[in-house]
Amino acid sequence: KNQVEQSPQSLIILEGKNCTLQCNYTVSPFSNLRWYKQDTGRGPVSLTIMTFSENTKSNGRYTATLDADTKQSSLHITASQLSDSASYICVVSDEFPLRGGSQGNLIFGKGTKLSVKP
Amino acid sequence: GAVVSQHPSRVICKSGTSVKIECRSLDFQATTMFWYRQFPKQSLMLMATSNEGSKATYEQGVEKDKFLINHASLTLSTLTVTSAHPEDSSFYICSARMSEYNEQFFGPGTRLTVL
């Protein structure tokens, strides 16, 4: 069964500190892995997208890593800010064609809720 | 980046009424739009996939007669929750995809509360 597991479920850190969020997946075949930031009451916003051949990708203070062999990914946030408080969702895309479409399905993790305190 | 809007952002209705939610791609044409539902502390759950000009494809367990989806143009899809009940209260999020790419762009979501 295709699954995406994230840890920790929630995390509280002080402003300015770094943190790392984890994502393990069992999706096969694998197309790409995405990290999204979802503010409370808002839709997800894409942070990074990585394909099989990419090991790391950065977007400002966000750095995602991917180990396709162990099927693990991490999202590292550097010098956290209060505005980083949100849920971070790991999403993996497979390559099975959607019914009526031509692209893969998105399998969502439950997210890690990050709270950055002053 | 591509922008997807939803309207309304928040709606409160009485049990038994119908509610329509609009999803628009503002600066691109979306051949495919997706509707998701998200309960508190849960991940997004795909409800249906909508291709312009054709009937929506519903995920297992989603009642197509209750959640009516119309995708009449390349920039607009609507989700109508018919005869809404309190258990339909949730956060509904749409996303849209350009035909050539795998990237989905998400809307800001609609909070539905059924009293």
Side-chain angles (χ1 to χ4, degrees), chain A residues 34 38 43 49 99-100 103 109, chain B residues 38 43 51 59 102-103 107-108:
Chain A
R34 312 137 184 251
Q38 185 178 21
I49 300 176
R99 288 162 288 174
Q103 304 294 335
Chain B
Q38 186 178 30
S43 63
N51 289 295
E59 294 301 300
N102 196 26
E103 180 66 65

Side-chain angles (χ1 to χ4, degrees), chain A residues 6-103:
Chain A
Q6 291 188 242
S7 62
Q9 187 175 21
S10 62
L11 181 63
I12 301 174
I13 62 173
L14 293 176
E15 185 179 12
K17 298 295 185 181
N18 305 334
C19 67
T20 301
L21 314 180
Q22 301 291 342
C23 174
N24 297 332
Y25 61 92
T26 58
V27 178
S28 181
F30 172 88
S31 176
N32 57 69
L33 184 146
R34 312 137 184 251
W35 283 94
Y36 287 90
K37 178 185 179 186
Q38 185 178 21
D39 292 311
T40 301
R42 306 292 294 176
V45 174
S46 180
L47 295 176
T48 62
I49 300 176
M50 289 182 292
T51 60
F52 183 89
S53 60
E54 296 176 290
N55 301 119
T56 185
K57 182 163 282 189
S58 292
N59 178 0
R61 294 180 295 102
Y62 301 103
T63 300
T65 65
L66 174 64
D67 186 333
D69 292 330
T70 62
K71 298 187 176 181
Q72 295 179 326
S73 176
S74 66
L75 180 69
H76 187 75
I77 304 175
T78 304
S80 61
Q81 300 176 358
L82 298 179
S83 59
D84 292 332
S85 296
S87 286
Y88 291 83
I89 305 172
C90 176
V91 183
V92 180
S93 176
D94 65 20
E95 289 181 337
F96 282 108
L98 281 168
R99 288 162 288 174
S102 60
Q103 304 294 335

Side-chain angles (χ1 to χ4, degrees), chain A residues 31-32 34 36 38 41-44 46 49 89 93 98-106 108-111, chain B residues 34 36 38 41-44 46 49 51 57-59 91 93 97 99-104 106-109 111:
Chain A
S31 176
N32 57 69
R34 312 137 184 251
Y36 287 90
Q38 185 178 21
R42 306 292 294 176
S46 180
I49 300 176
I89 305 172
S93 176
L98 281 168
R99 288 162 288 174
S102 60
Q103 304 294 335
N105 298 305
L106 297 185
F108 290 79
K110 289 187 176 182
Chain B
F34 305 85
Y36 295 85
Q38 186 178 30
K41 299 184 180 181
Q42 298 294 315
S43 63
L44 278 71
L46 180 64
T49 302
N51 289 295
T57 302
Y58 290 81
E59 294 301 300
F91 193 53
I93 304 174
R97 186 182 66 203
S99 59
E100 303 91 336
Y101 304 101
N102 196 26
E103 180 66 65
Q104 285 187 32
F106 289 86
R111 171 72 61 192

Side-chain angles (χ1 to χ4, degrees), chain B residues 33-105:
Chain B
M33 288 185 170
F34 305 85
W35 285 97
Y36 295 85
R37 183 166 50 182
Q38 186 178 30
F39 292 106
K41 299 184 180 181
Q42 298 294 315
S43 63
L44 278 71
M45 295 179 59
L46 180 64
M47 299 175 65
T49 302
S50 168
N51 289 295
E52 186 264 340
S54 62
K55 290 184 178 180
T57 302
Y58 290 81
E59 294 301 300
Q60 190 174 10
V62 178
E63 299 175 59
K64 62 179 181 181
D65 294 329
K66 180 170 184 63
F67 299 98
L68 302 179
I69 292 173
N70 183 279
H71 192 167
S73 76
L74 286 172
T75 60
L76 173 64
S77 176
T78 61
L79 168 68
T80 301
V81 183
T82 62
S83 186
H85 291 284
E87 57 265 30
D88 298 323
S89 298
S90 186
F91 193 53
Y92 292 86
I93 304 174
C94 75
S95 71
R97 186 182 66 203
M98 299 180 198
S99 59
E100 303 91 336
Y101 304 101
N102 196 26
E103 180 66 65
Q104 285 187 32
F105 298 96

